[in-house]
Amino acid sequence: MASNGAVDSKTHKFNPHFTQAVINATGPKASPRVRQLTTSLIRHLHDFARENELTVDEWMAGVELMNEAGRMSDDRRNEGQLVCDIFGLESLVDEITYKLASDAADEPTATAILGPFWRKEAPLKSMGDTIVSGFDDKGDRTWMHGTVTDFLTGKPIEGAVLDVWHTAPNGLYEQQDPDQPDMNLRGRFTTGKDGKYNFYCLRPVPYPIPYDGPAGKILQALDRHPYRPAHIHFILTAPGYKPIITQIFDRNSKYIEDDAVFAVKDSLIVDFKPFQGDPKADFELPYDFKLATFEDAKKHSVAGTTEESAA
Amino acid sequence: MASNGAVDSKTHKFNPHFTQAVINATGPKASPRVRQLTTSLIRHLHDFARENELTVDEWMAGVELMNEAGRMSDDRRNEGQLVCDIFGLESLVDEITYKLASDAADEPTATAILGPFWRKEAPLKSMGDTIVSGFDDKGDRTWMHGTVTDFLTGKPIEGAVLDVWHTAPNGLYEQQDPDQPDMNLRGRFTTGKDGKYNFYCLRPVPYPIPYDGPAGKILQALDRHPYRPAHIHFILTAPGYKPIITQIFDRNSKYIEDDAVFAVKDSLIVDFKPFQGDPKADFELPYDFKLATFEDAKKHSVAGTTEESAA
């Protein structure tokens, strides 16, 4: 027994040949990457089971949670993803995949998780349009604007597509809420030669992630709250540039230190500024996005960085 | 980098505080066991992701497989369980939970995985009945018989319920097959004072586990076959005795050394003997089951056994 009460996998009392037998079943035609991932997955799964002397009932409860998550998932909801999110897995994989992004000033915009609420084919909008088509009288109206630039040259990027989505003031995304118009608070904007963008949205609010499924059950068992700090989601794409999936977070939002899905990074925290002189907006939100070309992204891939802010 | 090309989790280049931050989110009211299991799960999941530099796309492919497994699962099918099975997880958890069972002669009957095809409320039958209600002209008709005894005293156990199920000659369980009568090849038998049981069934055949879902996709990616050796499933219960979930395997079956779900144990391999003189059976299958009382099961719990046969 290890000091924490768990069984040490190296000295356990179970069949010592079993895990290797399962790994050895993999055939010669499996791709090297599939072989690597599944070998590692089998080792970790088996070590997890042995170290904790996992019982059949506990394992089956896990299977039932997984199956329930799958049954709840469709094109409007991804509960399997949400379960990963509350264990920090999406944020970690985001860090691993986009390790180029860091908090340094001369780096491209940091990334953050996609989350389960993005939808394909958000409405194409013109600069200066609003993405609000419902609840427009209930939220803090916000004018967001900025420039999309190349992080190295500082030059504006033409043809960058900014895909934006956020929750309504009731804390729900439109696909969760029958009272909102389809595609409310979503839109795609394409930059011109100046790389600039601007649009109207609402100031988002903190909201609980869906609590009626396996993720909610797990949070409850863990004595954890389900809230995310107020944030706006983006996907930035541009010809020749590495796409960025990210979120920006309202500095004054509750849960900014305590995101249920561990996505907050310092460089993504922004300030909503009271705004006067525009009858369509109560707040102004200036924010610039910096992209890296595929080539630069490869060249500048950070190695050895261990100083990023903890989630 | 470790020698196998994977990243060593101890010297990785990612945020070194992230995993602990996720673990620390667990609240004070979480039960000790939930805290232990989720802490370990988070560590293994994160180590798995870092060691393999898991990408967002790879992770998302895993989420989609999980969700698809859940969507395919209902009261007739458990694809989430099947995915675990092909990674050996159910067999391992079975070993962990029922470590009392071993291959020694004076031990209770060894256990094996439940598998995804058991159904509640199989028909109650009388001794000597058949469980065959379809395909009776196609399979090798078998008379199975034996005694259920206490593994320590050797005394017959009265009131033991033997719940049995197996595939049809076409390799399908009845719930997978619209051409079979409901509850075909399933039955429950209750022993009298002599502890004896006997019934007619068919000699089972090897069959592929369902190959049309995530488990099939994974097997294909791993260049593995989906077959299980021929076997019959049992659950044995008796008042005062620890229930046993098990399977017996036909020694002459293909795949006996190569079960897709790693469930075969030496002590569970049996011989179907050609049988003459009974117009209702082509084969005879004698098999005795040995149960342990809850008390004995606790007392004799094996510690230090590492000699069980590899799957």
Side-chain angles (χ1 to χ4, degrees):
Chain A
M1 297 291 242
S3 58
N4 60 357
V7 176
D8 185 334
S9 248
K10 301 293 177 288
T11 59
H12 62 75
K13 58 196 168 193
F14 308 108
N15 178 349
H17 309 296
F18 184 72
T19 298
Q20 197 56 49
V22 174
I23 290 168
N24 290 349
T26 302
K29 289 179 198 147
S31 80
R33 181 62 172 166
V34 163
R35 183 185 305 273
Q36 179 190 341
L37 288 178
T38 50
T39 296
S40 174
L41 184 67
I42 290 163
R43 288 217 176 96
H44 278 294
L45 279 175
H46 289 200
D47 282 347
F48 167 72
R50 281 186 293 251
E51 286 163 11
N52 299 288
E53 299 199 338
L54 193 69
T55 68
V56 168
D57 289 348
E58 289 167 343
W59 162 73
M60 192 48 94
V63 169
E64 281 310 316
L65 280 177
M66 269 176 53
N67 283 340
E68 194 185 337
R71 278 191 292 266
M72 292 183 89
S73 298
D74 53 28
D75 59 343
R76 296 190 159 226
R77 175 166 187 174
N78 192 330
E79 185 76 9
Q81 178 173 3
L82 198 61
V83 168
C84 292
D85 288 358
I86 63 171
F87 287 129
L89 190 58
E90 185 174 5
S91 272
L92 176 59
V93 172
D94 167 61
E95 186 200 356
I96 291 169
T97 305
Y98 297 99
K99 52 187 179 296
L100 171 60
S102 86
D103 291 350
D106 61 344
E107 296 280 350
T109 303
T111 58
I113 66 176
L114 178 66
F117 297 113
W118 177 69
R119 285 181 69 191
K120 280 179 200 169
E121 307 289 333
L124 291 167
K125 302 265 185 177
S126 299
M127 289 305 170
D129 279 357
T130 181
I131 61 171
V132 186
S133 56
F135 290 104
D136 48 343
D137 54 339
K138 290 192 184 129
D140 290 327
R141 300 165 308 156
T142 298
W143 182 53
M144 182 165 179
H145 61 93
T147 310
V148 183
T149 61
D150 182 300
F151 93 106
L152 271 186
T153 67
K155 285 185 184 159
I157 299 174
E158 183 178 2
V161 177
L162 181 151
D163 190 344
V164 54
W165 67 106
H166 70 75
T167 51
N170 64 0
L172 295 173
Y173 289 88
E174 50 86 17
Q175 76 263 59
Q176 300 176 285
D177 184 359
D179 293 337
Q180 289 182 54
D182 190 49
M183 293 287 181
N184 186 36
L185 300 171
R186 298 177 187 276
R188 285 182 292 165
F189 298 86
T190 307
T191 58
K193 280 194 177 162
D194 60 1
K196 287 189 190 300
Y197 75 88
N198 83 94
F199 61 88
Y200 291 91
C201 60
L202 297 176
R203 185 173 181 174
V205 295
Y207 64 85
I209 59 174
Y211 205 65
D212 57 339
K217 284 181 190 167
I218 294 167
L219 287 177
Q220 205 156 18
L222 290 176
D223 186 24
R224 276 173 51 182
H225 73 75
Y227 283 89
R228 300 213 56 208
H231 61 277
I232 304 177
H233 290 270
F234 300 92
I235 298 177
L236 274 289
T237 52
Y241 285 86
K242 187 169 175 179
I244 282 184
I245 296 168
T246 195
Q247 303 175 29
I248 56 176
F249 298 88
D250 183 344
R251 188 182 310 279
N252 293 319
S253 174
K254 213 175 159 184
Y255 308 110
I256 192 79
E257 302 281 355
D258 196 17
D259 183 358
V261 301
F262 309 98
V264 179
K265 292 176 180 171
D266 287 349
S267 70
L268 297 173
I269 296 176
V270 298
D271 295 287
F272 286 74
K273 301 176 184 173
F275 192 45
Q276 278 156 3
D278 184 342
K280 292 192 281 181
D282 311 302
F283 290 90
E284 179 191 21
L285 177 56
Y287 195 78
D288 295 334
F289 292 95
K290 299 175 192 173
L291 303 186
T293 61
F294 282 108
E295 204 181 345
D296 289 337
K298 219 166 177 180
K299 257 189 276 181
H300 291 257
S301 184
V302 188
T305 301
T306 56
E307 300 302 315
E308 293 179 33
S309 65
Chain B
M1 297 291 244
S3 58
N4 61 357
V7 176
D8 185 334
S9 247
K10 300 293 177 288
T11 59
H12 62 75
K13 58 196 170 192
F14 309 109
N15 177 351
H17 308 298
F18 184 72
T19 298
Q20 197 57 48
V22 174
I23 290 168
N24 290 349
T26 302
K29 289 179 199 146
S31 80
R33 181 63 173 165
V34 163
R35 182 185 306 274
Q36 180 190 340
L37 288 179
T38 51
T39 296
S40 175
L41 184 67
I42 290 163
R43 288 217 175 97
H44 278 293
L45 279 175
H46 288 201
D47 282 347
F48 167 73
R50 282 186 292 250
E51 286 163 12
N52 300 288
E53 299 200 339
L54 192 68
T55 69
V56 167
D57 288 348
E58 289 167 342
W59 162 72
M60 191 49 93
V63 169
E64 282 310 315
L65 279 178
M66 270 177 50
N67 282 340
E68 195 185 337
R71 279 191 292 266
M72 293 184 89
S73 298
D74 53 27
D75 59 343
R76 296 191 158 223
R77 176 166 187 174
N78 192 331
E79 185 75 10
Q81 178 174 2
L82 199 61
V83 169
C84 292
D85 288 359
I86 63 171
F87 288 130
L89 189 58
E90 185 174 6
S91 273
L92 176 59
V93 172
D94 167 62
E95 186 199 356
I96 291 169
T97 305
Y98 298 99
K99 51 187 179 297
L100 171 59
S102 86
D103 291 350
D106 61 343
E107 297 281 350
T109 301
T111 57
I113 65 176
L114 178 65
F117 298 113
W118 178 69
R119 286 181 69 190
K120 280 180 201 170
E121 307 290 333
L124 291 167
K125 303 265 186 177
S126 299
M127 290 305 169
D129 279 356
T130 181
I131 60 171
V132 186
S133 55
F135 291 102
D136 48 344
D137 54 340
K138 291 192 183 129
D140 289 328
R141 300 165 308 156
T142 299
W143 181 53
M144 181 165 179
H145 60 93
T147 310
V148 183
T149 61
D150 181 301
F151 93 106
L152 272 186
T153 66
K155 285 186 184 159
I157 300 175
E158 183 178 2
V161 177
L162 182 151
D163 190 343
V164 55
W165 67 106
H166 71 74
T167 50
N170 64 0
L172 294 172
Y173 289 89
E174 50 86 18
Q175 76 262 59
Q176 299 177 284
D177 184 357
D179 292 337
Q180 288 182 54
D182 191 49
M183 293 287 180
N184 186 35
L185 300 171
R186 297 177 187 275
R188 285 182 292 166
F189 298 85
T190 306
T191 59
K193 280 194 176 161
D194 60 1
K196 288 188 189 300
Y197 75 88
N198 82 94
F199 62 87
Y200 291 91
C201 61
L202 297 175
R203 186 173 179 172
V205 295
Y207 64 85
I209 59 173
Y211 205 65
D212 57 339
K217 285 182 190 167
I218 294 167
L219 286 177
Q220 205 156 16
L222 290 177
D223 185 25
R224 276 174 51 183
H225 72 76
Y227 284 88
R228 300 213 56 208
H231 60 276
I232 304 177
H233 290 270
F234 300 92
I235 298 177
L236 274 288
T237 52
Y241 286 85
K242 188 170 176 180
I244 282 184
I245 297 168
T246 196
Q247 304 175 29
I248 57 176
F249 299 87
D250 184 343
R251 187 181 311 278
N252 293 319
S253 174
K254 212 176 160 183
Y255 309 109
I256 192 81
E257 302 281 355
D258 196 18
D259 182 359
V261 302
F262 310 96
V264 180
K265 293 177 181 172
D266 287 348
S267 70
L268 297 173
I269 296 176
V270 298
D271 295 286
F272 286 74
K273 302 176 182 173
F275 191 45
Q276 278 157 1
D278 184 342
K280 293 192 281 182
D282 312 301
F283 289 90
E284 178 190 22
L285 177 57
Y287 195 78
D288 295 335
F289 293 94
K290 300 175 190 173
L291 303 186
T293 61
F294 282 107
E295 204 181 344
D296 288 336
K298 217 166 177 180
K299 256 189 276 180
H300 291 257
S301 184
V302 188
T305 302
T306 56
E307 300 303 314
E308 291 180 34
S309 65

